[in-house]
Amino acid sequence: MKKNILVGQSGGPTAVINASLYGVIAEGMDRLDEVEHVYGMVNGIEGFLKGNYLDLSEDLTQKELERIKLTPAAYLGSCRYRLPKDLSSPVYPEIFQKLEELDIGCFLYIGGNDSMDTVDKLSRYARQAGSPVRFIGIPKTVDNDLMLTDHTPGYGSAAKYVASTVREIVLDASVYHQPAVTIIELMGRNAGWLTAASVLARKYEGDNPLFVYLPESQFDFQKFAKDLDGALRRQPSVVVCASEGISDAQGRLICEYNDQAKTDNFGHKMLTGCGKVLEGFVQRHFDIKVRSVEINVSQRCSGMVLSATDVEEAALAGSFGTRAALEGATGKMVAFVRAEGPCYGVTCSLVDVGQVCNQEKRFPLDWVTGEGNNISARFQEYALPLIQGEPARPMKQGLPVYAYRKRACGV
Amino acid sequence: MKKNILVGQSGGPTAVINASLYGVIAEGMDRLDEVEHVYGMVNGIEGFLKGNYLDLSEDLTQKELERIKLTPAAYLGSCRYRLPKDLSSPVYPEIFQKLEELDIGCFLYIGGNDSMDTVDKLSRYARQAGSPVRFIGIPKTVDNDLMLTDHTPGYGSAAKYVASTVREIVLDASVYHQPAVTIIELMGRNAGWLTAASVLARKYEGDNPLFVYLPESQFDFQKFAKDLDGALRRQPSVVVCASEGISDAQGRLICEYNDQAKTDNFGHKMLTGCGKVLEGFVQRHFDIKVRSVEINVSQRCSGMVLSATDVEEAALAGSFGTRAALEGATGKMVAFVRAEGPCYGVTCSLVDVGQVCNQEKRFPLDWVTGEGNNISARFQEYALPLIQGEPARPMKQGLPVYAYRKRACGV
């Protein structure tokens, strides 16, 4: 008997979360003998609860589907919605009632830690309630902080964007011969993976960015001043990269030195501004030109700087997860296992989603060098394969062509 | 009798200032019967005064020359150095003594308003002193604010970067169904050309960015609140673009509402922060999510998002200026004349550099619509041809390959 697939996207956008969506839809539509419809939740589980979904297997042309693969952000819309911890909450039977109405057999959810929490709770409820619906998580995050997977779809493109943008800014910062410090603030609340990617921008040993500061190691203003002082004796342009979430020995966030931090719906602190704090510090301690640059949301949503490896792996995670669900798996997240040996390659596997959700894989401390201001070559070996290749980008009138959902969000 | 060429770069970097340098070098090396050497000043006239120059016709391989064409920032290094107004200053004979030592016949200077001031002063001094050296300016600026030219090399690529980045951020900002305002701060102290390019990001009429505020029209907080209020009644995600240099009816810069403005060597105010001021304003007046994004230096130095039209025109300006100097022109700047008729094309002409320097071509007020919050379709007709085409970008290990000067800056 044929069953339907329901797919959703959740959490912050990435450049390849739609490539995973493409993988799910393409795989589902390829399984005509098992799958009748592929439905998409609009704005994740939150929108689905309001009855907001699309029939992707009916509404999309092949051309639109191909376009989705290379469109950044979240084609289906997203949400930040946490299901109640208590599985006896009435929201669970409400969701399963809706799943039954649409004759859903497989539920695929593309997202990060918080989204894996949704997959975990729904799969546990299903087991408890005797529901046959299968729940699979497809990993997504530019932060690369999901457990039990070699890396996460979204990270490769974001890392490539960071490395190429930092390389440009290093050039921009080096045109004058006067001494100057440039501080680049990068994403990363607790995990320094994305900031670490800035070292890929270097063309030779000793090239800028000279110093890289991650949330995993304690930031010390006096050490920072010493780092800069030494560097400025050797060269006029010094470029520094720092994660938004760096903190000092007392655990105080550097951005809080002059900012009132806000919190989002999940109680996460919304950080901005460590770059400005460091800029002010350099201004007071050195009588030289200083500039801070915050590489804001473009890190996670650039459609012009994509890693072809990342795009293909994201699509693979989507199709693998769909196959796994159709074959009976539930309560799992798709994970990448890196092939051993000199040639890069990944295979997909399944890990328990309960062991992934609400945890963070932090940057390995033994890859942090230079007393906390640099990154070891082992990271570069890890990260370089992830940023390889550029997909052919469809352009029209000089600008990238993206896919747009026809019905407006929240309708 | 053969003469040598001396070329320099000055002012802020752009993505195609090196394409103009490529044009000068290639044209000079092509004129073997007239030109012996093409020398490059390192760090512009300031570096040249310290004896800092390279022999570009000897030191560069063809491969390196091709690489320079697609490298952002300023290959030769730059300076912000203003020659004295008084032509009887001893710096002038000092410069001309150095020009004579190198047997320079043509002096090409690639830069913006301030650099054209240098060309103007040197050519006036030459006339007065009876020197045969010819001085030609090659225009460069992402601001598109040079007089007497249809547009300026550097603007097309920056406009393309702005349009494609705003298109991405619009997608990123629209993934949630909750109401939210996103403020994008773009470059533009006095001229709104670059900020205006954000309207090219729209895919259909009424698409984001909904409102665009330029320095040319007065910014009014109450009108802004009204604009937002109306828009938020129609759609959840509202994206606004504003130039860094917007000001109110009293002429007070919006960024000064919470910032101490700094000044650079030329006495220009260094502006940042109108985005943060607007963010704070929206936060106080509307109980919704608001984020400000400053598209910092990447606007002017992105090597990954180039307009092929801009690259080729920048190279053309360099080669045309070199030919003009060899043929006897001096005290001129290369300008673009747009072909009449439906098909886009430009030809080069020469204009008096004295009529260009120290002036700014501001955005036409009759292209500003919606009581100061929007841009007319006539601008789109003007700007669209300038962002067309993507040059084939050499990549290595997943990152762009750029040209680097071998000798360090200021040596």
Side-chain angles (χ1 to χ4, degrees), chain A residues 43 50 78 160 167-168 172 175 177 203 300 303 388 397 400 404, chain B residues 43 50 78 167-168 172 175 177 203 300 303 388 397-398 400 404:
Chain A
N43 293 117
K50 294 179 190 153
S78 187
K160 183 174 186 139
R167 182 170 283 189
E168 291 163 4
D172 185 275
V175 301
H177 68 86
K203 285 86 54 188
R300 69 178 185 204
Q388 299 304 308
Q397 294 259 56
Y404 298 94
Chain B
N43 294 116
K50 294 179 190 153
S78 187
R167 183 170 282 188
E168 290 162 5
D172 184 274
V175 301
H177 68 86
K203 286 86 54 190
R300 69 179 186 206
Q388 299 304 308
Q397 294 258 58
Y404 298 94

PDB file of all heavy atoms in Angstrom, chain A residues 43 50 78 160 167-168 172 175 177 203 300 303 388 397 400 404, chain B residues 43 50 78 167-168 172 175 177 203 300 303 388 397-398 400 404:
ATOM      1  N   ASN A  43       6.650  26.485   6.840  1.00  0.00           N
ATOM      2  CA  ASN A  43       7.083  26.935   8.165  1.00  0.00           C
ATOM      3  C   ASN A  43       7.110  25.802   9.189  1.00  0.00           C
ATOM      4  O   ASN A  43       6.629  25.932  10.322  1.00  0.00           O
ATOM      5  CB  ASN A  43       6.224  28.096   8.681  1.00  0.00           C
ATOM      6  CG  ASN A  43       6.428  29.354   7.850  1.00  0.00           C
ATOM      7  OD1 ASN A  43       5.507  29.852   7.207  1.00  0.00           O
ATOM      8  ND2 ASN A  43       7.641  29.854   7.812  1.00  0.00           N
ATOM      9  N   LYS A  50      -0.918  24.441  11.826  1.00  0.00           N
ATOM     10  CA  LYS A  50      -1.967  25.364  11.384  1.00  0.00           C
ATOM     11  C   LYS A  50      -2.548  24.932  10.042  1.00  0.00           C
ATOM     12  O   LYS A  50      -3.271  25.695   9.393  1.00  0.00           O
ATOM     13  CB  LYS A  50      -1.376  26.773  11.230  1.00  0.00           C
ATOM     14  CG  LYS A  50      -0.918  27.401  12.530  1.00  0.00           C
ATOM     15  CD  LYS A  50      -0.323  28.784  12.247  1.00  0.00           C
ATOM     16  CE  LYS A  50       0.355  29.350  13.476  1.00  0.00           C
ATOM     17  NZ  LYS A  50       1.418  30.293  13.124  1.00  0.00           N
ATOM     18  N   SER A  78      10.576  28.306   7.457  1.00  0.00           N
ATOM     19  CA  SER A  78      11.130  27.627   8.616  1.00  0.00           C
ATOM     20  C   SER A  78      10.373  28.034   9.873  1.00  0.00           C
ATOM     21  O   SER A  78       9.417  28.820   9.810  1.00  0.00           O
ATOM     22  CB  SER A  78      12.607  28.000   8.736  1.00  0.00           C
ATOM     23  OG  SER A  78      13.227  27.256   9.734  1.00  0.00           O
ATOM     24  N   LYS A 160      33.388  27.898   2.864  1.00  0.00           N
ATOM     25  CA  LYS A 160      33.938  28.433   1.615  1.00  0.00           C
ATOM     26  C   LYS A 160      33.655  29.935   1.515  1.00  0.00           C
ATOM     27  O   LYS A 160      34.521  30.714   1.103  1.00  0.00           O
ATOM     28  CB  LYS A 160      33.300  27.702   0.430  1.00  0.00           C
ATOM     29  CG  LYS A 160      33.828  28.104  -0.923  1.00  0.00           C
ATOM     30  CD  LYS A 160      33.221  27.196  -1.981  1.00  0.00           C
ATOM     31  CE  LYS A 160      33.837  27.453  -3.347  1.00  0.00           C
ATOM     32  NZ  LYS A 160      34.084  26.197  -4.073  1.00  0.00           N
ATOM     33  N   ARG A 167      39.673  36.162   2.481  1.00  0.00           N
ATOM     34  CA  ARG A 167      40.779  36.372   1.532  1.00  0.00           C
ATOM     35  C   ARG A 167      40.635  37.736   0.836  1.00  0.00           C
ATOM     36  O   ARG A 167      41.615  38.446   0.654  1.00  0.00           O
ATOM     37  CB  ARG A 167      40.818  35.232   0.504  1.00  0.00           C
ATOM     38  CG  ARG A 167      41.952  35.342  -0.476  1.00  0.00           C
ATOM     39  CD  ARG A 167      42.121  34.102  -1.329  1.00  0.00           C
ATOM     40  NE  ARG A 167      42.785  33.020  -0.589  1.00  0.00           N
ATOM     41  CZ  ARG A 167      43.213  31.891  -1.150  1.00  0.00           C
ATOM     42  NH1 ARG A 167      43.044  31.684  -2.445  1.00  0.00           N
ATOM     43  NH2 ARG A 167      43.810  30.967  -0.424  1.00  0.00           N
ATOM     44  N   GLU A 168      39.416  38.096   0.461  1.00  0.00           N
ATOM     45  CA  GLU A 168      39.173  39.406  -0.154  1.00  0.00           C
ATOM     46  C   GLU A 168      39.457  40.552   0.815  1.00  0.00           C
ATOM     47  O   GLU A 168      40.055  41.566   0.446  1.00  0.00           O
ATOM     48  CB  GLU A 168      37.703  39.525  -0.584  1.00  0.00           C
ATOM     49  CG  GLU A 168      37.286  38.642  -1.726  1.00  0.00           C
ATOM     50  CD  GLU A 168      35.774  38.482  -1.855  1.00  0.00           C
ATOM     51  OE1 GLU A 168      35.019  39.126  -1.088  1.00  0.00           O
ATOM     52  OE2 GLU A 168      35.354  37.693  -2.713  1.00  0.00           O
ATOM     53  N   ASP A 172      41.931  43.714   0.658  1.00  0.00           N
ATOM     54  CA  ASP A 172      41.412  45.073   0.841  1.00  0.00           C
ATOM     55  C   ASP A 172      42.175  45.797   1.954  1.00  0.00           C
ATOM     56  O   ASP A 172      42.458  46.991   1.850  1.00  0.00           O
ATOM     57  CB  ASP A 172      39.922  44.997   1.180  1.00  0.00           C
ATOM     58  CG  ASP A 172      39.258  46.362   1.263  1.00  0.00           C
ATOM     59  OD1 ASP A 172      39.313  46.989   2.338  1.00  0.00           O
ATOM     60  OD2 ASP A 172      38.695  46.804   0.257  1.00  0.00           O
ATOM     61  N   VAL A 175      46.134  47.352   1.205  1.00  0.00           N
ATOM     62  CA  VAL A 175      46.516  48.265   0.124  1.00  0.00           C
ATOM     63  C   VAL A 175      47.304  49.478   0.614  1.00  0.00           C
ATOM     64  O   VAL A 175      48.062  50.057  -0.152  1.00  0.00           O
ATOM     65  CB  VAL A 175      45.299  48.743  -0.710  1.00  0.00           C
ATOM     66  CG1 VAL A 175      44.576  47.550  -1.314  1.00  0.00           C
ATOM     67  CG2 VAL A 175      44.360  49.606   0.085  1.00  0.00           C
ATOM     68  N   HIS A 177      50.161  51.337   3.231  1.00  0.00           N
ATOM     69  CA  HIS A 177      51.347  50.859   3.930  1.00  0.00           C
ATOM     70  C   HIS A 177      51.330  51.261   5.403  1.00  0.00           C
ATOM     71  O   HIS A 177      52.167  50.836   6.179  1.00  0.00           O
ATOM     72  CB  HIS A 177      52.622  51.345   3.227  1.00  0.00           C
ATOM     73  CG  HIS A 177      52.822  52.824   3.319  1.00  0.00           C
ATOM     74  ND1 HIS A 177      53.446  53.424   4.377  1.00  0.00           N
ATOM     75  CD2 HIS A 177      52.431  53.826   2.499  1.00  0.00           C
ATOM     76  CE1 HIS A 177      53.462  54.735   4.197  1.00  0.00           C
ATOM     77  NE2 HIS A 177      52.847  55.009   3.065  1.00  0.00           N
ATOM     78  N   LYS A 203      47.339  32.220   1.963  1.00  0.00           N
ATOM     79  CA  LYS A 203      48.007  31.715   0.757  1.00  0.00           C
ATOM     80  C   LYS A 203      49.358  31.097   1.085  1.00  0.00           C
ATOM     81  O   LYS A 203      49.929  30.380   0.290  1.00  0.00           O
ATOM     82  CB  LYS A 203      48.208  32.838  -0.260  1.00  0.00           C
ATOM     83  CG  LYS A 203      46.967  33.279  -1.006  1.00  0.00           C
ATOM     84  CD  LYS A 203      46.171  34.322  -0.248  1.00  0.00           C
ATOM     85  CE  LYS A 203      47.011  35.512   0.147  1.00  0.00           C
ATOM     86  NZ  LYS A 203      46.267  36.427   1.060  1.00  0.00           N
ATOM     87  N   ARG A 300      25.590  32.375   5.933  1.00  0.00           N
ATOM     88  CA  ARG A 300      24.744  31.184   5.898  1.00  0.00           C
ATOM     89  C   ARG A 300      23.830  31.158   4.689  1.00  0.00           C
ATOM     90  O   ARG A 300      23.145  30.161   4.458  1.00  0.00           O
ATOM     91  CB  ARG A 300      23.915  31.087   7.180  1.00  0.00           C
ATOM     92  CG  ARG A 300      22.861  32.160   7.295  1.00  0.00           C
ATOM     93  CD  ARG A 300      22.043  31.996   8.565  1.00  0.00           C
ATOM     94  NE  ARG A 300      20.976  32.974   8.583  1.00  0.00           N
ATOM     95  CZ  ARG A 300      20.388  33.415   9.676  1.00  0.00           C
ATOM     96  NH1 ARG A 300      20.777  32.969  10.849  1.00  0.00           N
ATOM     97  NH2 ARG A 300      19.419  34.294   9.604  1.00  0.00           N
ATOM     98  N   GLY A 303      24.244  32.441  -2.072  1.00  0.00           N
ATOM     99  CA  GLY A 303      23.993  31.532  -3.179  1.00  0.00           C
ATOM    100  C   GLY A 303      25.053  31.652  -4.259  1.00  0.00           C
ATOM    101  O   GLY A 303      25.083  30.867  -5.197  1.00  0.00           O
ATOM    102  N   GLN A 388      35.236  22.084  -1.794  1.00  0.00           N
ATOM    103  CA  GLN A 388      35.672  21.915  -3.191  1.00  0.00           C
ATOM    104  C   GLN A 388      34.525  21.986  -4.199  1.00  0.00           C
ATOM    105  O   GLN A 388      33.447  21.464  -3.984  1.00  0.00           O
ATOM    106  CB  GLN A 388      36.404  20.591  -3.364  1.00  0.00           C
ATOM    107  CG  GLN A 388      37.664  20.477  -2.511  1.00  0.00           C
ATOM    108  CD  GLN A 388      38.650  21.607  -2.767  1.00  0.00           C
ATOM    109  OE1 GLN A 388      39.013  21.874  -3.913  1.00  0.00           O
ATOM    110  NE2 GLN A 388      39.062  22.288  -1.704  1.00  0.00           N
ATOM    111  N   GLN A 397      19.904  38.117 -16.358  1.00  0.00           N
ATOM    112  CA  GLN A 397      20.095  39.567 -16.246  1.00  0.00           C
ATOM    113  C   GLN A 397      21.199  39.920 -15.243  1.00  0.00           C
ATOM    114  O   GLN A 397      21.084  40.907 -14.515  1.00  0.00           O
ATOM    115  CB  GLN A 397      18.783  40.237 -15.789  1.00  0.00           C
ATOM    116  CG  GLN A 397      17.661  40.140 -16.811  1.00  0.00           C
ATOM    117  CD  GLN A 397      17.514  41.439 -17.582  1.00  0.00           C
ATOM    118  OE1 GLN A 397      18.457  41.927 -18.194  1.00  0.00           O
ATOM    119  NE2 GLN A 397      16.329  42.013 -17.556  1.00  0.00           N
ATOM    120  N   PRO A 400      21.611  35.892  -9.875  1.00  0.00           N
ATOM    121  CA  PRO A 400      21.269  34.481  -9.715  1.00  0.00           C
ATOM    122  C   PRO A 400      19.762  34.245  -9.767  1.00  0.00           C
ATOM    123  O   PRO A 400      18.974  35.042  -9.265  1.00  0.00           O
ATOM    124  CB  PRO A 400      21.818  34.133  -8.321  1.00  0.00           C
ATOM    125  CG  PRO A 400      21.912  35.438  -7.610  1.00  0.00           C
ATOM    126  CD  PRO A 400      22.227  36.461  -8.655  1.00  0.00           C
ATOM    127  N   TYR A 404      11.144  30.255  -5.920  1.00  0.00           N
ATOM    128  CA  TYR A 404      10.264  30.902  -4.940  1.00  0.00           C
ATOM    129  C   TYR A 404       8.988  30.113  -4.790  1.00  0.00           C
ATOM    130  O   TYR A 404       8.389  29.710  -5.783  1.00  0.00           O
ATOM    131  CB  TYR A 404       9.939  32.334  -5.375  1.00  0.00           C
ATOM    132  CG  TYR A 404      11.188  33.161  -5.436  1.00  0.00           C
ATOM    133  CD1 TYR A 404      11.887  33.307  -6.631  1.00  0.00           C
ATOM    134  CD2 TYR A 404      11.713  33.723  -4.289  1.00  0.00           C
ATOM    135  CE1 TYR A 404      13.072  34.011  -6.671  1.00  0.00           C
ATOM    136  CE2 TYR A 404      12.891  34.427  -4.323  1.00  0.00           C
ATOM    137  CZ  TYR A 404      13.572  34.576  -5.518  1.00  0.00           C
ATOM    138  OH  TYR A 404      14.751  35.264  -5.545  1.00  0.00           O
TER     139      TYR A 404
ATOM    140  N   ASN B  43      52.117  51.876  -3.671  1.00  0.00           N
ATOM    141  CA  ASN B  43      51.418  52.823  -2.792  1.00  0.00           C
ATOM    142  C   ASN B  43      51.343  54.232  -3.385  1.00  0.00           C
ATOM    143  O   ASN B  43      51.605  55.240  -2.710  1.00  0.00           O
ATOM    144  CB  ASN B  43      52.047  52.867  -1.396  1.00  0.00           C
ATOM    145  CG  ASN B  43      51.870  51.559  -0.657  1.00  0.00           C
ATOM    146  OD1 ASN B  43      52.818  50.865  -0.330  1.00  0.00           O
ATOM    147  ND2 ASN B  43      50.602  51.183  -0.441  1.00  0.00           N
ATOM    148  N   LYS B  50      58.880  58.044  -2.120  1.00  0.00           N
ATOM    149  CA  LYS B  50      59.882  57.358  -1.299  1.00  0.00           C
ATOM    150  C   LYS B  50      60.737  56.423  -2.149  1.00  0.00           C
ATOM    151  O   LYS B  50      61.480  55.589  -1.621  1.00  0.00           O
ATOM    152  CB  LYS B  50      59.184  56.550  -0.208  1.00  0.00           C
ATOM    153  CG  LYS B  50      58.445  57.394   0.818  1.00  0.00           C
ATOM    154  CD  LYS B  50      57.781  56.483   1.833  1.00  0.00           C
ATOM    155  CE  LYS B  50      56.836  57.244   2.726  1.00  0.00           C
ATOM    156  NZ  LYS B  50      55.747  56.387   3.241  1.00  0.00           N
ATOM    157  N   SER B  78      47.965  51.207  -2.469  1.00  0.00           N
ATOM    158  CA  SER B  78      47.296  52.482  -2.687  1.00  0.00           C
ATOM    159  C   SER B  78      47.785  53.506  -1.667  1.00  0.00           C
ATOM    160  O   SER B  78      48.627  53.207  -0.825  1.00  0.00           O
ATOM    161  CB  SER B  78      45.786  52.256  -2.544  1.00  0.00           C
ATOM    162  OG  SER B  78      45.081  53.418  -2.910  1.00  0.00           O
ATOM    163  N   ARG B 167      19.482  40.194  -2.522  1.00  0.00           N
ATOM    164  CA  ARG B 167      18.543  39.122  -2.901  1.00  0.00           C
ATOM    165  C   ARG B 167      18.660  37.933  -1.961  1.00  0.00           C
ATOM    166  O   ARG B 167      17.651  37.340  -1.562  1.00  0.00           O
ATOM    167  CB  ARG B 167      18.807  38.700  -4.360  1.00  0.00           C
ATOM    168  CG  ARG B 167      17.847  37.647  -4.866  1.00  0.00           C
ATOM    169  CD  ARG B 167      17.960  37.417  -6.364  1.00  0.00           C
ATOM    170  NE  ARG B 167      17.291  38.470  -7.126  1.00  0.00           N
ATOM    171  CZ  ARG B 167      17.097  38.432  -8.449  1.00  0.00           C
ATOM    172  NH1 ARG B 167      17.503  37.383  -9.147  1.00  0.00           N
ATOM    173  NH2 ARG B 167      16.486  39.414  -9.068  1.00  0.00           N
ATOM    174  N   GLU B 168      19.868  37.569  -1.582  1.00  0.00           N
ATOM    175  CA  GLU B 168      20.079  36.467  -0.634  1.00  0.00           C
ATOM    176  C   GLU B 168      19.513  36.810   0.745  1.00  0.00           C
ATOM    177  O   GLU B 168      18.873  35.978   1.396  1.00  0.00           O
ATOM    178  CB  GLU B 168      21.577  36.195  -0.451  1.00  0.00           C
ATOM    179  CG  GLU B 168      22.276  35.598  -1.638  1.00  0.00           C
ATOM    180  CD  GLU B 168      23.798  35.738  -1.586  1.00  0.00           C
ATOM    181  OE1 GLU B 168      24.328  36.227  -0.563  1.00  0.00           O
ATOM    182  OE2 GLU B 168      24.445  35.373  -2.575  1.00  0.00           O
ATOM    183  N   ASP B 172      16.768  35.035   3.092  1.00  0.00           N
ATOM    184  CA  ASP B 172      17.102  34.654   4.466  1.00  0.00           C
ATOM    185  C   ASP B 172      16.095  35.243   5.447  1.00  0.00           C
ATOM    186  O   ASP B 172      15.693  34.598   6.416  1.00  0.00           O
ATOM    187  CB  ASP B 172      18.519  35.152   4.796  1.00  0.00           C
ATOM    188  CG  ASP B 172      19.002  34.716   6.163  1.00  0.00           C
ATOM    189  OD1 ASP B 172      18.707  35.412   7.163  1.00  0.00           O
ATOM    190  OD2 ASP B 172      19.667  33.676   6.240  1.00  0.00           O
ATOM    191  N   VAL B 175      12.167  33.481   5.860  1.00  0.00           N
ATOM    192  CA  VAL B 175      11.883  32.076   6.160  1.00  0.00           C
ATOM    193  C   VAL B 175      10.893  31.890   7.312  1.00  0.00           C
ATOM    194  O   VAL B 175      10.215  30.871   7.389  1.00  0.00           O
ATOM    195  CB  VAL B 175      13.160  31.242   6.443  1.00  0.00           C
ATOM    196  CG1 VAL B 175      14.097  31.278   5.250  1.00  0.00           C
ATOM    197  CG2 VAL B 175      13.858  31.684   7.705  1.00  0.00           C
ATOM    198  N   HIS B 177       7.453  33.101   9.561  1.00  0.00           N
ATOM    199  CA  HIS B 177       6.217  33.813   9.228  1.00  0.00           C
ATOM    200  C   HIS B 177       5.931  34.952  10.200  1.00  0.00           C
ATOM    201  O   HIS B 177       5.026  35.748   9.993  1.00  0.00           O
ATOM    202  CB  HIS B 177       5.035  32.839   9.138  1.00  0.00           C
ATOM    203  CG  HIS B 177       4.660  32.256  10.464  1.00  0.00           C
ATOM    204  ND1 HIS B 177       3.803  32.874  11.319  1.00  0.00           N
ATOM    205  CD2 HIS B 177       5.060  31.130  11.082  1.00  0.00           C
ATOM    206  CE1 HIS B 177       3.676  32.144  12.411  1.00  0.00           C
ATOM    207  NE2 HIS B 177       4.428  31.077  12.303  1.00  0.00           N
ATOM    208  N   LYS B 203      12.494  40.613  -7.569  1.00  0.00           N
ATOM    209  CA  LYS B 203      12.107  39.682  -8.634  1.00  0.00           C
ATOM    210  C   LYS B 203      10.788  40.082  -9.279  1.00  0.00           C
ATOM    211  O   LYS B 203      10.455  39.623 -10.350  1.00  0.00           O
ATOM    212  CB  LYS B 203      11.970  38.255  -8.092  1.00  0.00           C
ATOM    213  CG  LYS B 203      13.268  37.545  -7.794  1.00  0.00           C
ATOM    214  CD  LYS B 203      13.776  37.848  -6.399  1.00  0.00           C
ATOM    215  CE  LYS B 203      12.745  37.569  -5.335  1.00  0.00           C
ATOM    216  NZ  LYS B 203      13.160  38.074  -4.012  1.00  0.00           N
ATOM    217  N   ARG B 300      33.080  46.440  -2.051  1.00  0.00           N
ATOM    218  CA  ARG B 300      34.052  47.011  -2.979  1.00  0.00           C
ATOM    219  C   ARG B 300      35.165  46.049  -3.336  1.00  0.00           C
ATOM    220  O   ARG B 300      35.982  46.353  -4.205  1.00  0.00           O
ATOM    221  CB  ARG B 300      34.654  48.298  -2.395  1.00  0.00           C
ATOM    222  CG  ARG B 300      35.553  48.059  -1.202  1.00  0.00           C
ATOM    223  CD  ARG B 300      36.143  49.351  -0.691  1.00  0.00           C
ATOM    224  NE  ARG B 300      37.100  49.072   0.364  1.00  0.00           N
ATOM    225  CZ  ARG B 300      37.422  49.921   1.321  1.00  0.00           C
ATOM    226  NH1 ARG B 300      36.865  51.103   1.356  1.00  0.00           N
ATOM    227  NH2 ARG B 300      38.304  49.590   2.238  1.00  0.00           N
ATOM    228  N   GLY B 303      35.766  39.409  -5.068  1.00  0.00           N
ATOM    229  CA  GLY B 303      36.312  38.844  -6.301  1.00  0.00           C
ATOM    230  C   GLY B 303      35.455  37.709  -6.821  1.00  0.00           C
ATOM    231  O   GLY B 303      35.671  37.209  -7.913  1.00  0.00           O
ATOM    232  N   GLN B 388      26.082  42.963 -16.102  1.00  0.00           N
ATOM    233  CA  GLN B 388      25.917  41.742 -16.889  1.00  0.00           C
ATOM    234  C   GLN B 388      27.205  40.933 -17.056  1.00  0.00           C
ATOM    235  O   GLN B 388      28.274  41.486 -17.271  1.00  0.00           O
ATOM    236  CB  GLN B 388      25.371  42.086 -18.286  1.00  0.00           C
ATOM    237  CG  GLN B 388      24.007  42.761 -18.255  1.00  0.00           C
ATOM    238  CD  GLN B 388      22.958  41.942 -17.526  1.00  0.00           C
ATOM    239  OE1 GLN B 388      22.771  40.773 -17.832  1.00  0.00           O
ATOM    240  NE2 GLN B 388      22.305  42.530 -16.556  1.00  0.00           N
ATOM    241  N   GLN B 397      41.856  24.640  -5.185  1.00  0.00           N
ATOM    242  CA  GLN B 397      41.498  24.078  -3.876  1.00  0.00           C
ATOM    243  C   GLN B 397      40.198  24.687  -3.343  1.00  0.00           C
ATOM    244  O   GLN B 397      40.073  24.917  -2.140  1.00  0.00           O
ATOM    245  CB  GLN B 397      42.619  24.329  -2.867  1.00  0.00           C
ATOM    246  CG  GLN B 397      43.901  23.578  -3.189  1.00  0.00           C
ATOM    247  CD  GLN B 397      44.056  22.347  -2.312  1.00  0.00           C
ATOM    248  OE1 GLN B 397      43.175  21.472  -2.316  1.00  0.00           O
ATOM    249  NE2 GLN B 397      45.127  22.262  -1.574  1.00  0.00           N
ATOM    250  N   GLY B 398      39.278  25.017  -4.247  1.00  0.00           N
ATOM    251  CA  GLY B 398      37.988  25.533  -3.805  1.00  0.00           C
ATOM    252  C   GLY B 398      37.953  27.024  -3.539  1.00  0.00           C
ATOM    253  O   GLY B 398      36.924  27.552  -3.123  1.00  0.00           O
ATOM    254  N   PRO B 400      39.314  31.226  -4.783  1.00  0.00           N
ATOM    255  CA  PRO B 400      39.770  32.018  -5.920  1.00  0.00           C
ATOM    256  C   PRO B 400      41.292  32.235  -5.905  1.00  0.00           C
ATOM    257  O   PRO B 400      41.882  32.431  -4.840  1.00  0.00           O
ATOM    258  CB  PRO B 400      39.041  33.359  -5.737  1.00  0.00           C
ATOM    259  CG  PRO B 400      38.695  33.416  -4.291  1.00  0.00           C
ATOM    260  CD  PRO B 400      38.441  32.004  -3.875  1.00  0.00           C
ATOM    261  N   TYR B 404      49.500  38.343  -6.376  1.00  0.00           N
ATOM    262  CA  TYR B 404      50.117  39.025  -5.237  1.00  0.00           C
ATOM    263  C   TYR B 404      51.437  39.636  -5.651  1.00  0.00           C
ATOM    264  O   TYR B 404      52.229  38.993  -6.329  1.00  0.00           O
ATOM    265  CB  TYR B 404      50.346  38.048  -4.075  1.00  0.00           C
ATOM    266  CG  TYR B 404      49.046  37.503  -3.588  1.00  0.00           C
ATOM    267  CD1 TYR B 404      48.551  36.299  -4.079  1.00  0.00           C
ATOM    268  CD2 TYR B 404      48.277  38.237  -2.700  1.00  0.00           C
ATOM    269  CE1 TYR B 404      47.313  35.819  -3.675  1.00  0.00           C
ATOM    270  CE2 TYR B 404      47.045  37.764  -2.291  1.00  0.00           C
ATOM    271  CZ  TYR B 404      46.570  36.562  -2.781  1.00  0.00           C
ATOM    272  OH  TYR B 404      45.358  36.104  -2.385  1.00  0.00           O
TER     273      TYR B 404
END
